[in-house]
Amino acid sequence: MSSNNPETKYFLLKKSKVKDLLNTLYKEFEIFVPVEEEGMVNFKRYKLNNNFNMEFTNTLLPPKGLFLPQQETLFTINYKKEELIEENLETSRRIIFGIRPCDSRSLTILDEVFKEKSEDVYYLQKRNNTLLIGLGCSNPQIYCFCSSLEVDPGKDSSVDIFLTDLGEKYLVTANTKEGQQLIKDLPVYFEKAGEEEITRALEIQSQAREGFSVGFAKKDTEIFRDVEIIFEHPIWEELAETCLGCGICTYLCSTCHCFDIADELAKNEGRRFRCWDSCQFFSFTNMTSGHNPRPNRKERIRQRFLHKLSYFVSRYGSIACVGCGRCLRNCPVDIDITRVIGAINHE
Amino acid sequence: MNNLNQIQNPYLPRIASIEKITQETGDIKTFRLVFLEGDFHHLPGQFVELSVFGRGEAPISISSFIPGENSLELSVKKMGKVTSYLHSMCEGDKVGLRGPYGNTFPVERIKGQNLLFIGGGIGLAPLRSLIHYSFLKRDDFGKISIIYGARTPADLVFKEELFNIWSNIKNTEVHITVDVATNGWQGKVGVVPKILKELNPSPDNTVAFTCGPPIMIKYSLEALNDLNFPEEDTVTTLEMKMKCGIGKCGRCNIGNKYICLDGPVFTLKELKNLPKEY
């Protein structure tokens, strides 16, 4: 059947064929797959016949680093010639295989920032060059709360290709032209899905919203629209008493994008680079004059919550949180955004 | 999808040469910079990201409005790594510039009005871009009053313009004051907000622009309020730590604003809608 026919968007991919598929795609793409190392699953660059783990709940590090690397050269500087050498931003085509719905949602949130006014070529080049193959969630962990936000854990139409786990195989949904083309080009791996499998997958997809142990009601986020009231709420002082200011919540957050820019000086050739930074650090807003508008932990923890739940919403129209739960899971003193939202509304 | 080859890389500075250096005070110099290639268009109130290659970048407000299309002045206090190294540079040396960035003073809205400038220390630098602009288009504006002060006479910037040029322009008043009179200073003594109150300017058809140390801005805004200047006709500029200058790196965020995109110029009315975090 012609793949121009919109009816042919559902296919099946046997799990036993996934490695062969990756080995084939490897010839043309740089592929990132979830790999378990030392008990942690993270997206790693796939090499021929590498092992990977598709039974993960989510990666420790969010995939934002594949678009906004923890450290990235912006250009190099040749002092002798007084010349700036641009980075080659052309990359091979890339695939992220197995991105979860929460994390793919985080990319559409980050797009708003990196596309606003001056377009960020470093981020957008990678973004436009990357095909996303998503993987539905059916087994949320105790720290997941994506269903409280605009994320459907069972179904993700923002990725190019979406996989629903049917046990021995995946139901494959092609959402974009690029996704359809990839499937069309590799007919040996994808067979047409039957009615029965599609029905079963739709059932699994719709059940995915159940079984969450933490979260909040959408109306509980409305209180953050009134900055004047929420800014002076006593909870920021309380949270500041326990927060260590370590910044792990921001580094592991899939939507936190704040960065620093600095120069590295070498003898003949230096470079300018950017690297992740955190609003939880004193130095983030400390000016050379010595004036710091957010000098204490209270102001900095408030900034993190209000940037996500209030300021970002009024600037870009959505909450800058996808409920991936990484901040809850990794905070050393158990600061929990769902409990913060709950406490502000109900205590 | 976008054709990325056609998007300019916003992080790549353009090279400019230092054409002239003026020592303003012991630790403030004005650098006149000329782009090696291409035009440069800006409006008063905007800033640039200045690169000293190998040392880093710093956001600096443009302190001039120069007719022509490829030069600008930056008045820079020796403070941190970038500005200290800049102070050691010579005429002919090369720097990098990105920008202009940020919003501008409301040059269209203030046409036909009187302008009142209230500056302190190096805070006169961003105001000077609008002062230059208003003198270039002198007939577009009514009376221009400039109140400027510094700690001591040695700390006054743009002395040549203050004492010998601006006050000779028609319908223009310049009031200069120092906190502490030294070196036989014969002029006014007293902090800027005090002089402002003494001069008692009328708010009628007048827009006030203030920039200086935070404490000076605070008391000047109070004084302007006492003089019945409306909040929408009281304009100031905000300073925040910045890196990218284009609303990505996140650090100049106050409420739903980025100072680099939505500022640095704000009316007092706009400021009152922001969380008090500046």
Side-chain angles (χ1 to χ4, degrees):
Chain A
M1 214 184 269
S2 158
S3 70
N4 290 330
N5 183 339
E7 292 299 309
T8 59
K9 60 182 263 192
Y10 295 113
F11 300 87
L12 292 171
L13 168 64
K14 287 200 177 101
K15 285 188 179 173
S16 57
K17 280 192 178 176
V18 170
K19 191 173 256 184
D20 287 345
L21 170 67
L22 292 177
N23 285 343
T24 304
L25 292 170
Y26 176 79
K27 292 171 198 153
E28 220 184 302
F29 292 89
E30 188 177 17
I31 310 168
F32 296 90
V33 289
V35 173
E36 188 168 342
E37 277 174 5
E38 296 171 12
M40 291 173 289
V41 178
N42 279 307
F43 283 104
K44 298 272 177 179
R45 202 172 159 172
Y46 181 77
K47 297 192 188 89
L48 270 186
N49 292 315
N50 255 25
N51 284 325
F52 53 90
N53 177 2
M54 294 289 280
E55 305 301 318
F56 69 114
T57 299
N58 211 348
T59 52
L60 173 68
L61 287 164
K64 73 174 175 189
L66 298 175
F67 302 92
L68 178 70
Q70 191 166 357
Q71 200 199 85
E72 179 171 42
T73 299
L74 298 175
F75 54 83
T76 47
I77 308 152
N78 185 316
Y79 297 110
K80 267 191 186 160
K81 293 186 189 164
E82 294 186 322
E83 216 175 55
L84 302 184
I85 305 142
E86 282 190 67
E87 282 298 287
N88 179 13
L89 298 178
E90 296 290 320
T91 56
S92 53
R93 292 175 72 206
R94 313 191 308 171
I95 288 177
I96 302 181
F97 191 83
I99 188 170
R100 293 293 192 185
C102 53
D103 285 339
S104 82
R105 167 78 190 140
S106 75
L107 296 177
T108 62
I109 289 172
L110 290 175
D111 289 347
E112 298 286 339
V113 176
F114 287 103
K115 277 183 183 167
E116 191 190 10
K117 291 194 179 166
S118 298
E119 299 197 316
D120 191 301
V121 282
Y122 300 84
Y123 173 92
L124 291 173
Q125 176 74 33
K126 297 181 192 74
R127 184 81 166 99
N128 289 348
N129 233 346
T130 306
L131 221 69
L132 300 178
I133 301 185
L135 177 62
C137 269
S138 50
N139 187 21
Q141 294 298 294
I142 50 165
Y143 47 82
C144 291
F145 59 99
C146 69
S147 61
S148 302
L149 292 142
E150 288 168 47
V151 179
D152 184 343
K155 201 173 164 214
D156 186 353
S157 54
S158 78
V159 291
D160 297 285
I161 293 173
F162 185 67
L163 307 177
T164 303
D165 193 335
L166 299 177
E168 299 286 300
K169 50 196 155 191
Y170 296 110
L171 182 91
V172 180
T173 314
N175 291 322
T176 64
K177 265 189 204 156
E178 288 84 357
Q180 280 169 2
Q181 190 62 42
L182 185 141
I183 291 167
K184 191 186 165 193
D185 291 345
L186 298 166
V188 62
Y189 300 104
F190 301 98
E191 52 190 273
K192 203 188 155 214
E195 276 307 312
E196 189 197 329
E197 283 121 346
I198 295 172
T199 312
R200 221 172 97 222
L202 293 179
E203 244 173 61
I204 291 171
Q205 289 175 1
S206 64
Q207 282 163 5
R209 281 177 166 277
E210 294 161 19
F212 282 83
S213 37
V214 291
F216 43 84
K218 192 167 186 224
K219 65 170 174 45
D220 285 353
T221 62
E222 283 165 16
I223 198 166
F224 292 93
R225 287 184 198 163
D226 194 341
V227 178
E228 239 169 90
I229 290 176
I230 207 72
F231 196 77
E232 301 300 342
H233 198 283
I235 197 162
W236 312 124
E237 192 72 60
E238 291 162 31
L239 290 169
E241 284 170 15
T242 52
C243 175
L244 304 175
C246 70
I248 193 75
C249 50
T250 56
Y251 284 124
L252 295 183
C253 175
S254 56
T255 66
C256 277
H257 58 271
C258 290
F259 58 84
D260 193 6
I261 298 178
D263 281 16
E264 199 171 61
L265 185 63
K267 204 175 172 196
N268 294 318
E269 202 169 79
R271 68 171 185 136
R272 178 162 297 160
F273 66 98
R274 65 174 169 190
C275 58
W276 294 354
D277 203 347
S278 172
C279 60
Q280 297 308 293
F281 299 153
F282 178 86
S283 60
F284 188 69
T285 45
N286 191 39
M287 287 184 261
T288 320
S289 63
H291 176 59
N292 190 343
R294 290 193 277 272
N296 301 303
R297 207 154 281 162
K298 172 190 158 187
E299 292 98 41
R300 298 199 288 272
I301 197 157
R302 175 173 63 194
Q303 172 66 14
R304 175 170 153 76
F305 283 104
L306 293 192
H307 189 220
K308 294 193 168 305
L309 298 166
S310 175
Y311 311 153
F312 202 94
V313 184
S314 73
R315 191 171 187 97
Y316 301 108
S318 62
I319 290 176
C321 173
V322 296
C324 71
R326 289 183 178 91
C327 55
L328 270 73
R329 185 191 186 189
N330 294 288
C331 175
V333 293
D334 290 334
I335 291 176
D336 175 342
I337 187 171
T338 67
R339 289 208 301 250
V340 170
I341 293 170
I344 286 173
N345 278 283
H346 305 295
E347 280 173 24
Chain B
M1 260 179 224
N2 296 313
N3 185 349
L4 285 161
N5 296 326
Q6 287 174 8
I7 301 177
Q8 277 212 320
N9 183 338
Y11 296 97
L12 212 61
R14 290 164 61 196
I15 309 294
S17 171
I18 301 175
E19 191 185 56
K20 186 177 166 220
I21 302 174
T22 308
Q23 185 88 41
E24 302 284 358
T25 72
D27 60 0
I28 298 171
K29 288 179 179 177
T30 293
F31 298 83
R32 180 179 284 230
L33 307 174
V34 181
F35 283 94
L36 298 189
E37 285 169 24
D39 295 351
F40 182 74
H41 299 277
H42 72 104
L43 281 171
Q46 293 188 288
F47 69 96
V48 288
E49 280 284 350
L50 167 79
S51 283
V52 174
F53 293 113
R55 311 288 158 169
E57 276 187 311
I60 310 280
S61 53
I62 300 169
S63 62
S64 63
F65 192 81
I66 303 170
E69 296 187 327
N70 72 339
S71 61
L72 68 156
E73 286 185 352
L74 304 179
S75 302
V76 183
K77 193 169 187 168
K78 189 174 173 179
M79 290 292 284
K81 199 162 64 170
V82 173
T83 55
S84 296
Y85 197 83
L86 180 73
H87 267 248
S88 75
M89 293 174 84
C90 305
E91 289 169 4
D93 285 348
K94 308 282 193 297
V95 295
L97 293 172
R98 293 193 291 125
Y101 292 135
N103 66 353
T104 73
F105 287 117
V107 288
E108 290 303 319
R109 186 169 72 81
I110 60 177
K111 267 188 187 165
Q113 294 190 276
N114 305 314
L115 309 183
L116 169 63
F117 293 98
I118 304 154
I122 196 172
L124 189 56
L127 299 180
R128 183 175 175 250
S129 66
L130 183 55
I131 293 171
H132 279 179
Y133 180 91
S134 53
F135 286 147
L136 263 178
K137 300 172 186 270
R138 188 65 193 85
D139 294 338
D140 283 358
F141 303 98
K143 185 177 166 190
I144 294 178
S145 312
I146 299 166
I147 304 171
Y148 174 61
R151 273 171 302 158
T152 72
D155 294 310
L156 296 166
V157 296
F158 313 132
K159 288 189 218 29
E160 172 67 14
E161 288 175 310
L162 280 169
F163 290 101
N164 299 325
I165 299 176
W166 293 346
S167 52
N168 292 327
I169 295 171
K170 67 171 180 183
N171 202 11
T172 304
E173 275 178 13
V174 180
H175 306 277
I176 305 165
T177 180
V178 296
D179 298 355
V180 183
T182 55
N183 305 331
W185 173 257
Q186 298 292 312
K188 285 192 171 63
V189 177
V191 295
V192 168
K194 179 173 160 264
I195 304 298
L196 169 63
K197 277 188 205 160
E198 283 172 12
L199 289 167
N200 195 26
S202 160
D204 292 343
N205 195 35
T206 302
V207 185
F209 300 88
T210 179
C211 187
I215 189 82
M216 186 215 87
I217 294 184
K218 182 171 180 258
Y219 287 106
S220 297
L221 292 178
E222 281 178 20
L224 288 168
N225 184 50
D226 294 344
L227 294 166
N228 294 318
F229 273 79
E231 288 177 354
E232 55 269 29
D233 288 335
T234 304
V235 182
T236 187
T237 71
L238 282 190
E239 197 178 37
M240 276 293 270
K241 185 144 178 161
M242 288 178 192
K243 289 285 178 176
C244 73
I246 53 174
K248 317 286 184 229
C249 81
R251 72 193 59 226
C252 71
N253 171 248
I254 304 174
N256 65 355
K257 306 283 186 213
Y258 284 116
I259 304 311
C260 68
L261 288 181
D262 308 304
V265 178
F266 291 92
T267 65
L268 184 56
K269 194 177 178 191
E270 291 165 330
L271 271 193
K272 288 199 165 165
N273 286 323
L274 285 182
K276 296 279 167 290
E277 240 176 11
Y278 42 83

